[in-house]
Amino acid sequence: MAVEKSLFGYINENEPVYLYKITNESGAHVTLQTLGAGIQALYMPDRNGKFSDVVLGFDNPSDYLNPDYGYQGLVVGRWANRIRDGKFTFKGEECRTPQNQGTWTLHGGGRFSFTNWEVEETGEDFVVFRRFSPDGEDGFPADFTMRVKYTLTNDNILRIEYGVLSDRDTVANPTNHAYFNLSGDDEKTIEGHYLEIPADYFTETDESQLPTGELGEVKGTMMDFTYAHKIGDMIDTPFRAIIDGVGYDNNYCLKNKSGAFELAARLEDRESGRRLEVYTDLPGIQLYCGGWLSRDYTAGKGANIVKFRRGVALETQFYPDTVNFPEKFPFRYVKANKEFKTVTEFRFTTI
Ligand code: BGC
């Protein structure tokens, strides 16, 4: 195994974006990009050993810069998902973050995902990306360095280790925003994929998808993925936590509130036989099925187009807007000069 570097293309006219490809012994491979420390392609075998790309994305690096295209495969920070009114108080300091959507902050609100990251180190089977974010960038406190290490193992695990170092206490909620489609079929949506999420509760939200602070019980509702069933079974059921026409875009409360490393989701395409299991030490996972992506989009990778419900994002995270519910929602913050760490794994097998 070795990491191969190549030029992807240019953003902002003449700024190069590079790709780093890691191939394992079985031929499975991941292509990472310096832009947003993102996953650009991920080839995994079906039950007959046929490799297909299981993540959505683009041929043209500039397309990744368009937030309407949904942060395809990019690392999101400093704070994933929403912050009500773009403000919170942390350790007595009032912080104001960009209101880049409606009146709230989405995905940090700034350029965190949309810049080239440095490559700090590569090895046989890993790449480490790094981004420095100065004190006050997008309103967040502290000089802040995030490192993201991707490792592809020989047993088809893509491990993502996030590390944050800051010069004073601050907050962080890193995630990766890959959209999976395990079918290897350019036409299929993810409605036929089977999904299981071991969570009895989800965070209740208002009409702007901002947490109210209450938890809703999944039992007896379309939100229940405690048993495996097709994503499409109930996706268009009218329900208070769902925006009509969009479908799932909700945070599930995982059981590992204490930071144990546990199963967070199991996704299967039973036709191809590909199975993905997501493991994390974080307490939440956002299930987002690409319902905000337009049916009319035409950009993608060849005929594999980024559009309505073509991919499902399984974003491990602290619950959205935890910065405004630090006592109520499970949380740990970044302590000065002490590395804050979190790990997520995408484990691929076949059935
Ligand atoms: C959010 C969606 C958003 C998507 C792309 C998800 O994490 O919950 O509302 O459309 O990211 O930005």
Side-chain angles (χ1 to χ4, degrees), residues 67-71 80-82 101 106-107 177 179 209 249-250 286-288 292-293 313 315 317:
D68 290 345
Y69 284 163
Y71 298 72
N81 213 283
R82 291 164 176 75
Q101 219 187 51
L106 179 70
H107 296 329
H177 212 307
Y179 294 66
Q209 294 183 278
D249 185 7
N250 304 86
Q286 186 82 10
L287 167 62
Y288 171 54
W292 291 111
L293 299 169
E315 308 150 54
Q317 60 186 0

Side-chain angles (χ1 to χ4, degrees), residues 190-195 225 228-235 248:
I190 44 68
E191 287 152 294
H193 283 40
Y194 283 76
L195 179 66
F225 280 99
H229 64 87
K230 281 188 188 167
I231 291 176
D233 279 348
M234 291 177 267
I235 196 169
Y248 299 103

Side-chain angles (χ1 to χ4, degrees), residues 230-247:
K230 281 188 188 167
I231 291 176
D233 279 348
M234 291 177 267
I235 196 169
D236 289 315
T237 305
F239 186 66
R240 63 179 188 281
I242 298 287
I243 307 277
D244 280 349
V246 173

